[in-house]
Amino acid sequence: MNLTQLVKGKKAKVIAISSSVNQVSRQRLADLGFVPGSIIEIYLVGPLQTPVAFLVKGSVIALRKEQMEAIKIELLH
C-alpha cells in the first residue's frame, strides 16, 4: 500500500520509495526522514485533503499527493 492510504490515527512503517521516483526527489524524501523503517503518522490534513503533514522522526513534514503515492508503507497494529 502507499502513503495515500494511511488514515489519521494509525501508524505505518516506510517500506520503500517507488523506483519511478527520480534520484533528486528520492534523495529529498530520504533527507526528510522517509527511509525504510521510519515510523510515520498523519499530523494534519489540508483543507482540500492535500497537502498532508506527517510526523516522521520528530519532525512535521508536508507532502503532496504525488509524493505520497511514491512512498510504500506497511500498517502497524
Side-chain angles (χ1 to χ4, degrees), residues 1-16 33-43 54-57 68 71-77:
M1 77 188 300
N2 64 37
L3 194 49
T4 60
Q5 297 167 301
L6 184 62
V7 295
K8 193 163 182 160
K10 300 285 184 178
K11 291 184 180 185
K13 179 171 63 170
V14 175
I15 301 300
F34 292 92
V35 294
S38 293
I39 306 301
I40 57 175
E41 63 183 296
I42 294 176
Y43 182 76
F54 296 92
L55 186 59
V56 57
K57 295 191 172 199
M68 293 185 291
I71 299 171
K72 307 303 178 196
I73 62 168
E74 176 182 278
L75 288 178
L76 299 178
H77 300 284

Side-chain angles (χ1 to χ4, degrees), residues 18-62:
S18 173
S19 60
S20 65
V21 175
N22 67 48
Q23 187 59 36
V24 173
S25 295
R26 179 185 295 278
Q27 185 61 50
R28 181 177 178 276
L29 289 170
D31 291 345
L32 292 172
F34 292 92
V35 294
S38 293
I39 306 301
I40 57 175
E41 63 183 296
I42 294 176
Y43 182 76
L44 185 66
V45 179
L48 300 175
Q49 304 303 312
T50 187
V52 177
F54 296 92
L55 186 59
V56 57
K57 295 191 172 199
S59 296
V60 176
I61 308 295

